[in-house]
Amino acid sequence: MIYKQIFTIVLITLFQLSFSQISGNAYYNKVSNYKTGGIGVSTNSKEPNKTIDSSISEIEFLIKFNDSLAVYEKLNKDDSFDAIVISHSGYNGPFFYEIKQKKAVKEQGKYLIEKAFDDYNWALTDDIMIIDSLVCYKATSTIKIKGRRSDFTKPVTAWYAPEICLPVGPDGFAGLPGIIVELKIDKVTTRLKKINFTDKDVIIELPKNKKRMTETKFDSFIEGLIASGNEKN
C-alpha cells in the first residue's frame, strides 16, 4: 500500500514536471451576444454592414508560452477590425505572464503594469464541465470597471483544465491551477480552440526600457494626474 502511494506521487510529479518543461501555442476565439445591427466595422471590410458579433467571431488570439513566460496577443495584425469591434471584444492589448514569479504584466505606454496572480481573488467551485474532452472546473471573480461618474464591477466566470498545468488565460486573466479553457465576461465568451505543444524553444521577451509599477500604484498615479489636471482647470 505504501509502495502504491509512493508510485502514484512519483507519477503525478513526473506529469507536472513534463508540462513545466513544454512550450507551445494556445489559440483562442471569441463569441459575443451584442445582437446589434450593421455597424460598418471597417473601411477595409468587403461587408460594411457586418454586425459586431460576426466581426468579433473572426478575430483570432494566441497564448504563446514556455516554462517561464507567456504572452497573450491578437493574431490579426492588419486593420481589418476597427476600434469599436476590438473594444467590444474585451481585448485590451497584449498581456505577458511571468509564470515563475506568478505575475501578469500589461504594457501601458512607457510602463509595465504588473498584477500578482493572487490578486485575481478567484473563488474555486466544484462545478465540472467537459469542454472538448477536457475536464474543466468553474472559478468566479469580478473585475472593476472605471466609469465616467463612478466605478462598477462585472462578474467573471472561468472554466480551467487542471490537466494542462499552465496558470494563464486570455485577456490578462491568470492564477488558476490550469489553463483557462473558457472565459466569460458580460456578453463575450473567449474559448480555447486548440493547443499545440512543442519541445522546441519558444522565444518570448518582455518589452525593454519600461518602468514597472504595480496595478494599484499605477491606478493611484493616474488618479493623481487627473486630479492635478482638474486643479489647473
Side-chain angles (χ1 to χ4, degrees):
M1 187 67 175
I2 295 176
Y3 172 78
K4 185 177 180 180
Q5 290 176 342
I6 293 174
F7 181 69
T8 302
I9 292 171
V10 170
L11 279 180
I12 292 173
T13 303
L14 288 175
F15 182 81
Q16 291 174 336
L17 284 174
S18 66
F19 272 112
S20 69
Q21 296 168 351
I22 289 180
S23 302
N25 298 290
Y27 298 86
Y28 288 82
N29 58 12
K30 292 174 179 281
V31 293
S32 59
N33 190 32
Y34 288 107
K35 296 182 179 179
T36 57
I39 59 169
V41 298
S42 173
T43 55
N44 295 332
S45 176
K46 295 180 180 179
E47 302 175 82
N49 293 319
K50 288 170 64 176
T51 65
I52 288 179
D53 292 334
S54 62
S55 298
I56 287 176
S57 68
E58 294 179 1
I59 311 174
E60 294 183 304
F61 302 87
L62 168 70
I63 293 181
K64 184 165 59 174
F65 60 90
N66 56 39
D67 63 347
S68 61
L69 196 62
V71 58
Y72 171 77
E73 57 191 350
K74 182 170 68 74
L75 275 179
N76 311 74
K77 300 297 185 182
D78 56 20
D79 295 325
S80 56
F81 303 98
D82 71 4
I84 295 176
V85 174
I86 297 300
S87 174
H88 278 73
S89 76
Y91 180 72
N92 189 27
F95 276 89
F96 295 85
Y97 305 98
E98 296 177 318
I99 296 171
K100 295 179 179 178
Q101 292 84 1
K102 298 182 179 180
K103 292 179 180 180
V105 181
K106 172 82 168 66
E107 183 179 8
Q108 190 81 27
K110 61 182 181 180
Y111 300 96
L112 290 179
I113 314 305
E114 61 180 48
K115 180 175 182 176
F117 285 179
D118 290 341
D119 291 341
Y120 287 91
N121 297 319
W122 291 109
L124 306 185
T125 76
D126 294 326
D127 295 349
I128 295 177
M129 180 166 61
I130 307 298
I131 305 176
D132 293 333
S133 77
L134 289 171
V135 179
C136 300
Y137 291 83
K138 182 180 178 181
T140 60
S141 186
T142 58
I143 54 172
K144 185 172 72 171
I145 308 296
K146 291 187 175 297
R148 292 183 177 180
R149 296 183 179 180
S150 62
D151 296 346
F152 60 96
T153 61
K154 284 185 178 182
V156 178
T157 300
W159 292 90
Y160 65 95
E163 61 189 275
I164 302 179
C165 304
L166 189 67
V168 301
D171 294 317
F173 289 89
L176 287 168
I179 191 170
I180 295 178
V181 176
E182 183 174 297
L183 181 75
K184 179 174 175 53
I185 304 174
D186 201 12
K187 297 180 184 294
V188 180
T189 301
T190 308
R191 293 173 179 157
L192 177 66
K193 186 167 60 174
K194 66 178 179 179
I195 184 167
N196 298 328
F197 296 99
T198 178
D199 56 1
K200 298 179 180 179
D201 291 336
V202 173
I203 306 301
I204 305 169
E205 293 184 351
L206 279 167
K208 298 179 179 178
N209 301 319
K210 305 281 185 177
K211 183 177 180 180
R212 293 188 68 132
M213 299 179 72
T214 65
E215 185 178 57
T216 301
K217 288 185 177 180
F218 183 75
D219 288 345
S220 298
F221 171 67
I222 296 299
E223 288 173 1
L225 290 179
I226 294 173
S228 177
N230 290 336
E231 289 176 0
K232 291 180 180 179
N233 294 330

